[in-house]
Amino acid sequence: MSAAVAALSAAVWGIWAFTSASSSEEAGIIKDNFTTFNTEFWKKTDGYSNGDMFNCTWRGDNVSFAGDDLLTLSLTSPSPGEYDGAEYRSLDKYSYGRYEIRMKPAANPGVVSSFFTYTGPSEGEPWDEIDIEFLGKNTRQVQLNYFTDGAGGHEQVIDLGFDASQEFHWYGFDWKRDSITWYIDGRPVHTATENIPSTAGRIMMNLWNGTGVDSWLEPFDGKVPLHAYYDQFRYTPDQAPGE
C-alpha cells in the first residue's frame, strides 16, 4: 500500500483497537488485528462439511493464532484422500457498510481462499452473499461475485498486477442499498448496481478444496498443508449502532 493510500485509509477509518463493545459503539467501527481468538465476535466452524463442491470438513483446529498477529486458516489431510478445511465466521449478522480484510491467500490449483458475507436457507433466510474469492490456480487475480435470493452469475475477475499470495494487501467492498463497490488497497475496481442483496449476513473467511468444479478451480493435486493468512479486519456500518 502506498503512503498516500495508507494515509487516506487511516483518515477514513480512524484508529481503534478491537477491545470493547463501548468503544465499538463510540467509533462506529469494528476492527480486529487478529492477535487472538475473540470469542465474543467470532466462531470457528467445526465438525461438518458443506457438501457438493466442498471436498473437506471444517475443523476448528485449522483456525489458529500463532502469536504473530495473524489469523491462519489451514487445509490439511487427516488420511489419504480426506481433507480438513478452515472457516472463521462472525457470531452476529451485519448489513450495509464497508468491509475490508488484509490478507494473503493460498496458492495451489483446486483451492479457494475467501472473505465474504453470507446468509441463506440454513439461517431461515434468503441466500444473500457478497464475495471476494482467490482461486489458488492464479493468485494474480481475484474473483468478485454476489448472490441475491440465490441468484448469482455476477462473477467479475480482476487482474491485480501482483501475486496476492506473496504479500499482504487490503481487499474490501462497500455494500449499499443500491450498489456494491469492491476495492483493492483503497482503489475501486468494480461496481454492481442490479438486484443488490438486502439481507444482513455473517462475516466469513474460509479456505477449502473443491471437487467436481475442475473447470472453475482446476483439479486439486492433494498438496497439504496449505495456508491462507489474515492480518487485519474492519467493518464500518453505514450508520453507527443505535442511530
Side-chain angles (χ1 to χ4, degrees):
M1 181 185 297
S2 70
V5 171
L8 176 60
S9 180
V12 171
W13 291 104
I15 300 172
W16 179 73
F18 186 41
T19 54
S20 69
S22 60
S23 295
S24 174
E25 291 174 3
E26 289 174 8
I29 300 173
I30 295 172
K31 180 177 178 180
D32 195 345
N33 291 330
F34 297 133
T35 56
T36 188
F37 177 23
N38 190 317
T39 58
E40 295 182 357
F41 190 84
W42 301 104
K43 174 184 178 181
K44 299 178 181 181
T45 304
D46 186 61
Y48 65 88
S49 173
N50 285 16
D52 294 330
M53 70 182 71
F54 293 82
N55 190 23
C56 63
T57 300
W58 305 125
R59 298 297 183 190
D61 288 345
N62 281 11
V63 179
S64 63
F65 300 84
D68 52 4
D69 292 347
L70 293 177
L71 159 66
T72 301
L73 303 186
S74 299
L75 180 65
T76 59
S77 178
S79 60
E82 296 186 2
Y83 302 98
D84 290 339
E87 183 174 84
Y88 203 49
R89 57 166 63 195
S90 65
L91 295 171
D92 295 327
K93 299 175 185 177
Y94 299 85
S95 187
Y96 304 114
R98 184 153 171 162
Y99 298 75
E100 285 196 326
I101 196 75
R102 189 171 185 262
M103 65 176 287
K104 286 196 306 185
N108 197 80
V111 304
V112 176
S113 310
S114 68
F115 174 69
F116 61 108
T117 57
Y118 169 81
T119 190
S122 62
E123 308 265 359
E125 295 179 332
W127 176 8
D128 279 11
E129 180 174 341
I130 304 173
D131 294 314
I132 295 175
E133 296 177 308
F134 292 91
L135 312 187
K137 67 180 184 181
N138 185 355
T139 50
R140 298 187 67 84
Q141 297 178 331
V142 62
Q143 179 175 289
L144 316 175
N145 197 11
Y146 67 99
F147 294 82
T148 304
D149 198 11
H154 307 290
E155 293 88 351
Q156 185 77 22
V157 175
I158 304 296
D159 290 320
L160 297 170
F162 55 83
D163 186 344
S165 71
Q166 296 300 306
E167 54 191 56
F168 285 100
H169 289 267
W170 281 103
Y171 308 92
F173 53 87
D174 195 1
W175 176 21
K176 298 187 178 299
R177 295 180 186 275
D178 57 358
S179 67
I180 307 166
T181 298
W182 285 265
Y183 293 82
I184 299 172
D185 288 332
R187 176 176 59 90
V189 294
H190 179 62
T191 297
T193 58
E194 297 183 0
N195 196 27
I196 300 303
S198 59
T199 311
R202 300 188 193 280
I203 303 164
M204 304 179 68
M205 292 151 268
N206 59 30
L207 172 63
W208 54 278
N209 59 309
T211 182
V213 285
D214 291 356
S215 61
W216 178 38
L217 303 182
E218 294 185 0
F220 178 55
D221 58 9
K223 180 182 177 180
V224 291
L226 296 172
H227 308 285
Y229 302 98
Y230 297 77
D231 181 41
Q232 295 181 58
F233 156 78
R234 52 199 181 195
Y235 164 63
T236 299
D238 275 357
Q239 288 186 322
E243 292 187 353

